Amino acid sequence: MMTNPTSWIDGRNTITIEFKDHVSWSETKPIIIHAAGPCLAIQSIDWINPKTAIITTKKNISLDQQLYLEWGEDKLPIYPREVVRTAWFDQTYNAMDEQLGCVYSPEKTSFSVWAPTAIQMDLVLENDRIAMTRKSNGVWHTIITGDLKNVLYHFAVTVLGEEKHVNDPYAKGMTANSTRSVVLDLEASDPTGFRTIDYPKISKQDAIIYELHIRDATSSAESGVQHKGKFLGLTEKNTKSPEGFSSGLSYIKELGCTHVQLLPVQDFARVNELKPKESYNWGYDPLFYFVPEGSYATDANQPLLRVHECKRMIQAIHQEGMSVILDVVYNHVFCYEESALEKLVPGYYFRYREDGSISNGTGTGNDLATERNMVRKLILDAIDYWLTEYQIDGFRFDLMGAMDVETMQNICSRCLQEERPILLLGEGWDLETPLLPEQKATISQSEQLLDVSYFNDYFRDSLKGNLFHMEDKGYVNGNGHYIERLPQLVAGSCDKRFGGKIFSNPLQSINYVECHDNHTLSDRLMLSNPDATEESRKRMHQLATGITILSQGIPFLHAGQEFFRTKLGEENSYLSGDYVNQMNWLQRSKEDENVWWVRSLILLRKTYSLFRLRSAKEIQKRLHIVAAPNPVFGYMLVGEDDDFVIFANPLNSVMKIEIPAPGRWEKLISNHASYISPICSMLQTSTEIGAYELAIWKKSRV
């Protein structure tokens, strides 16, 4: 008798038999691989060790029926395992051209789901079961006549010897807490005029990004918003703080940024959608990629309502003249064992190491295998859906370095088909996931992805100190530390004159010193410079924010950075609740002068194209470093009609400087006097720059 054996299909014509105990093998007993049809002829049987045998069949194994191995009187079911991660499987069951999910019309609704290793698939409508038909590419399909609007559905799939009930990974609607998929009439979800809004289509070189968590934006009691923490909270206009200062959407518009980047909007775990105030999450625990998060809706029990309200939020942002970027998480899923993807096609959607263990380069328990055909299709279909159904203007890819280059190239190609500019950016960190280095969409592969922008951690760490070393200080908080890096930073990290070039063009550089991750800049300065006065730390903060906005590349601001946002020292506040994470609109009122400073810099950047040059060649022609006493840093932008000189002083003392060319120079903006208007003018070139001052001088040639 065989001793506790299991049998697995690990290749297109290989079956592995594994035993818990050593086995004495006798080839005198016949081995038969059989299914409903003819038996599979065996080519060879090889023992790898006393517990493992490999059977090679003469023909490829079909996965559309249950296979059994017979040895003497024993009969063992054979289940697919590593075969799903072979190139043969990916090619044989390639369904890239199929339309998956639920497609509704009042007359009929079609349902399609990809599950090549399943031997049975039923569509469950409410309590009715309908057998689905399997195509040769592994897609199960059926069409139901009649109007199924708002009907609940899921799939009953038989795979690996058991039946599982699974929601549709392509579902466009879900009940509260992702309990059941729902058939939606998407046309009924559009707000009036949703697809005809004439809002500015912002080119990449003109982008200024403002990163925002939907709940944080309005959850504060002082936000002046009625629908606090909801999609609708970001539709309300003319809201004000108790002191009468603008808040919410109106405030973001007044600040002047061009793009609102929203932390994940796609359905995520860890927040009870029926009692959202009892928990908090940033949203990096994705569940269903085609469904908006229910905790942001006014009623999660109404599946169509969350779609409608999400669209209303996007529409409102567009009406205020801004574009919308979604933060998307296509590198992992929440709890892969329970995901619909794993239940439908076990072992396919995720990366595995050579020893058979699941990869965890993302640090979340799993890595999506974006390089496989149907994982890539899932991502591309989701991108297409949010572009067309929700009119999104860009995507920020979480842990993009765990994704593969080819998938990102396909995403770029899809987005270039849109008439409006679509901004693509992501985290290009190199993560330990089983892809070859040249396959990963990391910063080191940026030349393969010229239409993708990368978060520039070199920029961040040079200005405020290495993220992972609290004792390290940067240029603004370390008396000019790393000043040698400043020329490359302000040149968009793409200028061969300054060494250490990172990118091919400045538009690949996302310049930032603060984001939702890690300490806010204010909290970092409190840690790195505890002996400095509050006023000095604010001046350091202004230097960092100012250099971010004025440098070539794409400036990125974290919501509240402009009024010294604090998270009370929390470094990773993804579960920390509203008290820590909410936008403090009382602080915004208190720091109105600094808000004006940031607003003035944004207006300057938008007014003069010299601050947003498009190419390394233009930068080499227009941008020049000027002499200054160490560690003061200065550079000049030379235009056709206007010239600018920018100086930054990271010392707590006044320094003498020389303007590099004669003429009538106007001191236009300074963090010591923040409004855009000539502060003073001069003919002489000698002047002073104050402690922790960032100042811009302008000279007109006309």
Side-chain angles (χ1 to χ4, degrees), residues 514-695:
E514 176 182 325
C515 68
H516 68 276
D517 275 324
N518 309 107
H519 291 110
T520 67
L521 180 56
S522 286
D523 289 343
R524 172 64 184 241
L525 293 174
M526 179 69 75
L527 290 169
S528 63
N529 300 76
D531 297 328
T533 65
E534 180 182 3
E535 181 64 23
S536 292
R537 285 195 295 269
K538 285 185 176 181
R539 294 299 189 198
M540 296 173 193
H541 196 292
Q542 291 170 333
L543 283 180
T545 301
I547 293 171
T548 299
I549 296 171
L550 298 178
S551 293
Q552 303 299 323
I554 300 176
F556 174 102
L557 301 178
H558 178 222
Q561 178 177 336
E562 68 281 2
F563 51 78
F564 308 114
R565 183 176 182 175
T566 176
K567 292 188 179 180
L568 309 178
E570 287 275 358
E571 183 177 12
N572 188 10
S573 64
Y574 77 109
L575 291 174
S576 298
D578 294 323
Y579 181 72
V580 170
N581 286 289
Q582 66 189 0
M583 296 275 281
N584 187 337
W585 293 105
L586 296 180
Q587 186 176 0
R588 175 264 181 270
S589 304
K590 176 183 174 184
E591 301 294 349
D592 185 57
E593 183 176 344
N594 198 68
V595 172
W596 269 102
W597 150 253
V598 174
R599 188 183 299 176
S600 298
L601 291 174
I602 290 172
L603 179 59
L604 179 73
R605 182 182 178 92
K606 294 169 76 171
T607 303
Y608 297 99
S609 61
L610 281 172
F611 291 96
R612 40 194 169 85
L613 300 173
R614 303 184 183 196
S615 69
K617 185 177 180 180
E618 281 188 286
I619 291 171
Q620 291 164 18
K621 178 181 178 181
R622 302 291 185 185
L623 188 150
H624 304 281
I625 307 304
V626 300
N630 191 55
V632 173
F633 175 72
Y635 67 101
M636 187 173 183
L637 294 170
V638 180
E640 299 297 333
D641 300 320
D642 302 292
D643 297 338
F644 291 88
V645 173
I646 299 93
F647 280 101
N649 177 15
L651 299 178
N652 191 19
S653 58
V654 177
M655 300 289 286
K656 293 186 179 297
I657 56 173
E658 295 286 333
I659 303 294
R664 180 172 294 279
W665 289 91
E666 296 176 334
K667 191 175 185 181
L668 197 61
I669 308 178
S670 164
N671 58 330
H672 289 201
S674 61
Y675 297 89
I676 285 192
S677 60
I679 300 167
C680 64
S681 62
M682 62 183 183
L683 290 172
Q684 75 278 13
T685 58
S686 296
T687 187
E688 293 181 339
I689 185 167
Y692 301 121
E693 184 178 6
L694 177 65

Side-chain angles (χ1 to χ4, degrees), residues 394-412:
F395 300 94
R396 178 263 189 194
F397 296 91
D398 180 65
L399 298 183
M400 186 174 65
M403 299 175 66
D404 69 290
V405 168
E406 186 176 347
T407 295
M408 288 304 305
Q409 289 172 334
N410 289 348
I411 291 170
C412 292

Side-chain angles (χ1 to χ4, degrees), residues 211-278:
E211 184 191 40
L212 186 70
H213 184 266
I214 291 172
R215 180 161 160 176
D216 293 356
T218 59
S219 59
S220 167
E222 293 80 23
S223 68
V225 171
Q226 179 181 354
H227 298 95
K228 291 178 171 58
K230 303 296 184 182
F231 290 128
L232 293 186
L234 283 172
T235 68
E236 299 177 34
K237 300 179 181 180
N238 302 315
T239 58
K240 296 184 182 299
S241 69
E243 291 82 0
F245 290 92
S246 61
S247 64
L249 180 62
S250 296
Y251 166 78
I252 298 169
K253 176 188 178 181
E254 290 175 5
L255 192 63
C257 292
T258 63
H259 289 70
V260 177
Q261 179 177 301
L262 300 171
L263 268 68
V265 168
Q266 295 160 318
D267 185 47
F268 57 80
R270 298 201 201 212
V271 174
N272 183 341
E273 294 179 344
L274 298 175
K275 299 178 180 179
K277 292 184 179 181
E278 295 181 359

